[in-house]
Amino acid sequence: MWISDKWKDFELIDCSKGEKLERWGSFYLVRPDPQAIWDTPRRNPHWNDRDARYRRSETGGGSWDKGKLPENWQIRYGELTFNVKPMNFKHTGLFPEQACNWDWAMAKIRSAGRPINVLNLFGYTGAATVACAKAGAQVCHVDAAKGMVAWGKENAAASGLSQAPIRWIVDDCGKFVEREIRRGRRYDAIIMDPPSYGRGPGGEVWKLEQNLWPFVSLCAGALSDEPLFVIINSYTTGLSASVLSYVTESIFTKKFGGRSESRELALPVTDSGLYLPCGATCRWES
């Protein structure tokens, strides 16, 4: 596992019976988590003395019981600052388990000894974009949701990067990569966080198991002659970390050399001393 254990403003306190208790800054949230199948005692008082809880509906979806929770607030991770906003479908706009990937990407960029141009696909609210820009890279951030790109700009500004060399693009990621290849634009690093399932603006259906291979194959054509790294994240529970390595070894290592490593991402659980798995990541480096 790769463990994101350097947080101060975030804490996974406990998890049990399909839910997790978290501290985001000074606020305590209870959210669903399908990985927490164990029925361990909930002894921490903040399970009941919480600021907000997301409850699933029996008819699908769910809603927040926010109490006096503010609409948004900020938390820090090292030199990065992010805006947290509880939103539909239990999300807060940030995946704390990705912090170890931010650290790794920043270290790679800073030690490269040359200018690095990063393409962040399915960039969401821009945490990886902000991290790479903070490390000195030029970044192109792409997401199909206009609201997520706007949120990414807010995070960049909060981290003192409003004037950083970041291109903010609202577009379908596949179509954008195709156009970049035709334009002859190339990137030294690519980060992608593709959804398990989704629909494009034209009603196109995306299924990770079916579309990941052709999409990653396409992205290989957008890499420079001396690529630095590729990060692929997967939250699809049926897709093991080793599958991601097989994909990247078959595509990137075959073309550029280098090596891949894939592991589960996880967060430490304070009350139990154990780790909650949070999906898989593959890191390819030249």
Side-chain angles (χ1 to χ4, degrees):
M1 285 182 165
W2 282 312
I3 313 296
S4 293
D5 57 1
K6 296 183 175 67
W7 279 99
K8 294 181 179 178
D9 278 3
F10 169 84
E11 181 184 9
L12 175 52
I13 300 169
D14 195 13
C15 48
S16 172
K17 304 176 186 177
E19 290 184 309
K20 55 189 174 183
L21 170 65
E22 305 164 307
R23 178 180 60 82
W24 294 78
S26 59
F27 299 104
Y28 294 85
L29 308 184
V30 174
R31 297 192 294 158
D33 195 299
Q35 297 287 337
I37 64 171
W38 38 89
D39 188 359
T40 50
R42 296 183 173 189
R43 296 192 175 94
N44 195 290
H46 285 291
W47 278 110
N48 295 316
D49 184 21
R50 58 186 179 264
D51 295 289
R53 182 181 187 181
Y54 186 91
R55 296 181 183 272
R56 291 204 181 280
S57 169
E58 294 181 358
T59 58
S63 61
W64 284 96
D65 175 11
K66 293 184 179 181
K68 297 181 180 180
L69 194 71
E71 287 299 314
N72 60 80
W73 66 96
Q74 292 186 337
I75 65 172
R76 292 184 58 83
Y77 181 77
E79 56 194 311
L80 310 176
T81 300
F82 301 111
N83 293 288
V84 176
K85 306 176 189 179
M87 53 191 294
N88 293 339
F89 196 62
K90 79 178 182 179
H91 294 314
T92 61
L94 193 66
F95 294 97
E97 67 273 10
Q98 289 290 332
C100 59
N101 275 338
W102 308 334
D103 291 339
W104 185 82
M106 293 174 79
K108 294 289 291 182
I109 291 165
R110 284 171 169 159
S111 63
R114 58 187 171 98
I116 298 299
N117 196 4
V118 178
L119 176 60
N120 186 15
L121 299 169
F122 309 97
Y124 195 49
T125 61
T129 293
V130 170
C132 291
K134 198 71 168 180
Q138 296 184 45
V139 187
C140 180
H141 175 106
V142 187
D143 196 280
K146 184 178 180 180
M148 295 300 101
V149 173
W151 194 336
K153 291 180 181 179
E154 293 175 8
N155 284 333
S159 292
L161 296 167
S162 56
Q163 301 302 313
I166 304 173
R167 295 169 62 205
W168 301 98
I169 307 294
V170 179
D171 203 350
D172 175 85
C173 289
K175 293 178 180 178
F176 178 79
V177 172
E178 289 174 349
R179 288 198 299 272
E180 291 292 89
I181 292 172
R182 289 197 299 268
R183 294 169 182 143
R185 288 181 179 159
R186 300 294 182 264
Y187 296 87
D188 304 299
I190 296 177
I191 300 170
M192 64 179 76
D193 200 345
S196 298
Y197 178 85
R199 287 189 178 273
E204 309 90 339
V205 176
W206 167 280
K207 292 184 179 180
L208 190 67
E209 297 91 335
Q210 297 177 9
N211 295 102
L212 184 63
W213 172 266
F215 183 76
V216 175
S217 298
L218 173 68
C219 289
L223 283 171
S224 65
D225 292 335
E226 297 182 15
L228 186 63
F229 67 82
V230 175
I231 297 175
I232 304 176
N233 292 304
S234 170
Y235 295 95
T236 302
T237 55
L239 216 59
S240 73
S242 299
V243 168
L244 300 179
S245 280
Y246 204 107
V247 171
T248 55
E249 287 290 310
S250 300
I251 295 174
F252 300 124
T253 302
K254 184 176 180 180
K255 183 176 182 179
F256 299 105
R259 59 183 291 273
S260 298
E261 185 175 1
S262 295
R263 299 187 192 178
E264 281 186 302
L265 295 181
L267 288 165
V269 183
T270 301
D271 284 4
S272 67
L274 301 173
Y275 300 99
L276 178 68
C278 305
T281 281
C282 180
R283 300 170 180 171
W284 173 85
E285 57 183 317
S286 58

